[in-house]
Amino acid sequence: DSGVTQTPKHLITATGQRVTLRCSPRSGDLSVYWYQQSLDQGLQFLIQYYNGEERAKGNILERFSAQQFPDLHSELNLSSLELGDSALYFCASSVSGGTGGYNEQFFGPGTRLTVL
Amino acid sequence: AQKITQTQPGMFVQEKEAVTLDCTYDTSDPSYGLFWYKQPSSGEMIFLIYQGSYDQQNATEGRYSLNFQKARKSANLVISASQLGDSAMYFCAMREGGAGGFKTIFGAGTRLFVKA
């Protein structure tokens, strides 16, 4: 158990809908990262928050947004869902957010999103 | 541009033997970190080992060691005394960045099969 929790575990929805994925980082970790893992795109970095502020942006679509709350939990909002958004969405957390080894990222179990 | 390359989609190794999983990277940033993760069939991402760009010695963590060749921009993972439980997908990742934020990029992965 990495200490990172994600809810829900599974989510099935229809095209055009909107969903929210939730992540609670490990105790003491200030950075939260979101990743999308799909068969055709592999593991893609979406976005990072550090202590409530956006720190880095990756291949995140405009239909997707995220935020980190004062208690450091984070939510990833996916809207106008398309079939291609079906994927495993991981949240990870780390102490800080730089390149150092102490910033190893601990991953949550993931949320499997299926868009029908 | 492809920044992390794992050229071995799949590999087989006999139990108790050592195996090397290849990873090459591309960056112009002098400060970066290299990570290896394991993803078993259950789906979770497990951190294995870290190597910093300024580290003089190769990182080791138990049966895992990272063969870091900076001039060649390679960061190969060596697993000694393979066990059946090592059968999994292995991802090489790089974190780079600076004032604009730190991004983590993952390779496509190598699926390792350990034979009894």
Side-chain angles (χ1 to χ4, degrees):
Chain A
D1 186 351
S2 66
V4 179
T5 60
Q6 287 187 250
T7 56
K9 256 190 158 175
H10 302 276
L11 199 48
I12 302 174
T13 188
T15 54
Q17 295 297 305
R18 172 189 170 96
V19 297
T20 298
L21 313 183
R22 184 187 167 103
C23 168
S24 292
R26 290 187 324 154
S27 176
D29 285 358
L30 298 178
S31 269
V32 169
Y33 311 77
W34 286 98
Y35 293 89
Q36 179 194 58
Q37 187 177 31
S38 60
L39 285 174
D40 54 342
Q41 298 280 348
L43 198 58
Q44 299 275 319
F45 166 69
L46 297 179
I47 197 163
Q48 177 201 354
Y49 278 83
Y50 174 76
N51 206 18
E53 294 191 1
E54 183 183 303
R55 177 61 70 93
K57 227 170 183 176
N59 302 319
I60 188 165
L61 300 172
E62 283 192 14
R63 300 183 286 109
F64 296 179
S65 65
Q67 54 184 326
Q68 186 179 28
F69 295 87
D71 67 351
L72 302 178
H73 91 270
S74 177
E75 292 181 357
L76 178 67
N77 299 297
L78 315 176
S79 62
S80 303
L81 285 168
E82 302 174 359
L83 295 177
D85 297 328
S86 294
L88 187 56
Y89 290 84
F90 283 110
C91 165
S93 73
S94 68
V95 169
S96 181
T99 58
Y102 56 89
N103 284 307
E104 61 189 79
Q105 295 178 29
F106 293 88
F107 280 71
T111 293
R112 183 163 296 282
L113 174 66
T114 303
V115 182
L116 300 175
Chain B
Q2 186 83 359
K3 291 217 170 182
I4 295 280
T5 303
Q6 295 180 253
T7 57
Q8 309 149 312
M11 285 205 57
F12 286 88
V13 65
Q14 196 66 39
E15 193 180 10
K16 299 180 185 173
E17 291 186 352
V19 63
T20 298
L21 307 184
D22 295 341
C23 173
T24 58
Y25 60 92
D26 182 30
T27 181
S28 55
D29 195 329
S31 176
Y32 53 90
L34 297 159
F35 301 78
W36 276 91
Y37 288 86
K38 172 184 178 182
Q39 187 177 38
S41 56
S42 51
E44 73 265 36
M45 293 286 286
I46 302 166
F47 166 78
L48 295 178
I49 197 166
Y50 162 83
Q51 180 83 41
S53 58
Y54 295 117
D55 293 345
Q56 297 295 315
Q57 294 195 331
N58 288 342
T60 59
E61 289 283 351
R63 294 186 299 110
Y64 304 108
S65 60
L66 200 152
N67 185 0
F68 182 45
Q69 298 189 39
K70 196 169 182 177
R72 290 186 167 186
K73 293 189 175 178
S74 77
N76 299 338
L77 176 71
V78 180
I79 305 175
S80 63
S82 297
Q83 301 172 356
L84 295 178
D86 293 334
S87 293
M89 195 76 167
Y90 289 81
F91 292 97
C92 177
M94 176 176 67
R95 175 161 320 127
E96 58 175 357
F102 296 93
K103 298 181 182 180
T104 305
I105 304 158
F106 282 77
T110 295
R111 186 167 296 279
L112 178 66
F113 300 92
V114 180
K115 299 182 290 184

